[in-house]
Amino acid sequence: MSKKGKLLSLIITGVMFAGVLGGCASTPDKGASGEKSKKIGMVISTQNNPFFVSMKEGAEKKAKELGYELIVLDSGNDAGKERSNIEDLVQKGVGALIVNPTDSDAVVNAVGVANDAKVPVLTVDRKSNGGEVVSHIASDNVAGGEMAGKYILEKLNAKANIVELQGIPGASATRDRGEGFHKAVDGKDGVKVVASQAADFDRQKGLNVMENIIQANPNFDAVFAHNDEMALGAVKALKAANKNVMVIGFDGNDDAKKSVESGDMAATIAQQPDLMGAMSVENAVKVIKGENVEKEIPVELQLVKKQ
């Protein structure tokens, strides 16, 4: 073979070898893809609240039933930790991410991390005020707040001074429950919201804020708390002050239901956190499989009062 022929042969062999390498590099790792599709990440705002513990348990049960691995991380009500959790789950190669935001505004950048990594995001209970979210699973918080307001007016014959204990400022649940409540009570003759303060969905803060309100403005007939934990804190403060006041909570957790049955609370607007968790996993699996899901998925509410 001439020198020219040898050179041509070497060039052709090199091109073919490069093509083989290129083909290997572009072939997806089926094993990694399969593993990814069987992992779902879930970021919970806090597990220091029975409501979110129930949500997690519902999600875990459904994931096991469907044959998926669910990795749950707790943000401890810290937006910085929330972002770190989302980054960790993206690195772990989850096929979809379920987020229960600590704050609807603060979570936006964290959702963006998942969006950049092409990991589909679903939110549960609280919305994200930005980023790409394929589905939101939640109770109709506006309707629930309105339900609470109407119940107070019904029981007090539309004549009442009311205290409102708000949740975490910026959380969509806080905004929506407050909106529904004020829709029911604002502008009504003989009805006045005499105090409206944040207690961050926390029982101890509910107690502390209620104590301060009792000292500053003791003349009120009812309390609407944006969740049961704050309502239960308020009940403790009211008992200590020997005040007989109607208290309505929101969530329907076990402690609140017991408090309603004992007569300490008048009612709670009951969500179904275990069902919310299960539905979030169900829809995450649909997203992983490439199926269409609804943008907004409502979970039924009910008024729980003493029988």
Side-chain angles (χ1 to χ4, degrees):
M1 184 182 288
S2 67
K3 288 183 179 179
K4 188 174 180 181
K6 286 181 180 178
L7 180 60
L8 183 60
S9 176
L10 285 170
I11 291 170
I12 291 170
T13 301
V15 169
M16 288 176 67
F17 184 66
V20 169
L21 286 178
C24 290
S26 62
T27 302
D29 184 344
K30 290 181 181 178
S33 175
E35 183 183 1
K36 178 180 178 181
S37 70
K38 285 288 183 179
K39 286 183 183 177
I40 300 170
M42 186 174 197
V43 179
I44 298 281
S45 59
T46 176
Q47 290 188 51
N48 189 28
N49 183 322
F51 180 84
F52 297 116
V53 172
S54 181
M55 180 187 290
K56 174 181 78 81
E57 290 170 349
E60 287 172 337
K61 184 177 178 182
K62 181 56 69 173
K64 186 176 181 181
E65 179 187 315
L66 297 177
Y68 280 71
E69 179 187 357
L70 182 70
I71 307 169
V72 182
L73 299 180
D74 180 2
S75 300
N77 276 332
D78 183 317
K81 176 67 174 170
E82 180 174 69
R83 177 172 178 139
S84 174
N85 284 339
I86 288 174
E87 289 171 347
D88 286 350
L89 289 169
V90 166
Q91 287 299 314
K92 288 180 188 296
V94 296
L97 183 63
I98 300 164
V99 183
N100 161 238
T102 60
D103 179 284
S104 298
D105 290 323
V107 78
V108 173
N109 289 334
V111 169
V113 171
N115 292 161
D116 291 344
K118 308 299 182 189
V119 177
V121 177
L122 302 88
T123 51
V124 60
D125 186 50
R126 301 171 186 162
K127 288 184 176 181
S128 171
N129 286 340
E132 185 180 339
V133 175
V134 296
S135 185
H136 177 61
I137 299 97
S139 305
D140 187 336
N141 283 309
V142 175
E146 188 173 7
M147 193 185 296
K150 286 181 175 178
Y151 185 69
I152 291 171
L153 298 186
E154 175 193 326
K155 299 302 286 185
L156 297 177
N157 298 316
K159 301 289 180 184
N161 287 337
I162 309 171
V163 167
E164 178 187 17
L165 296 182
Q166 300 174 11
I168 295 171
S172 60
T174 300
R175 181 187 65 245
D176 293 347
R177 292 172 193 182
E179 178 187 332
F181 168 68
H182 284 279
K183 184 178 177 182
V185 303
D186 286 358
K188 302 288 191 299
D189 290 338
V191 179
K192 185 178 181 183
V193 178
V194 295
S196 184
Q197 294 185 29
D200 299 345
F201 294 127
D202 182 81
R203 190 179 300 201
Q204 185 59 45
K205 288 182 181 178
L207 168 65
N208 296 340
V209 171
M210 193 76 256
E211 286 176 337
N212 292 336
I213 290 171
I214 291 168
Q215 289 294 319
N217 192 346
N219 299 316
F220 56 91
D221 312 292
V223 176
F224 169 53
H226 288 191
N227 82 338
D228 285 335
E229 289 297 291
M230 295 186 297
L232 291 162
V235 164
K236 191 171 181 180
L238 291 162
K239 276 188 169 182
N242 293 313
K243 284 188 70 66
N244 184 19
V245 167
M246 180 181 183
V247 178
I248 311 288
F250 200 120
D251 282 343
N253 71 32
D254 289 342
D255 285 351
K257 288 176 180 176
K258 288 174 186 173
S259 187
V260 169
E261 195 55 36
S262 71
D264 289 334
M265 282 174 59
T268 178
I269 309 301
Q271 300 192 81
Q272 301 183 71
D274 55 340
L275 180 59
M276 292 165 71
M279 288 174 70
S280 67
V281 168
E282 263 182 353
N283 284 280
V285 169
K286 286 181 181 179
V287 170
I288 288 170
K289 290 180 175 179
E291 298 175 19
N292 292 327
V293 295
E294 296 294 325
K295 192 73 175 173
E296 300 272 346
I297 300 174
V299 184
E300 190 176 350
L301 288 167
Q302 62 179 154
L303 177 73
V304 174
K305 56 186 178 179
K306 190 168 182 177
Q307 299 302 316

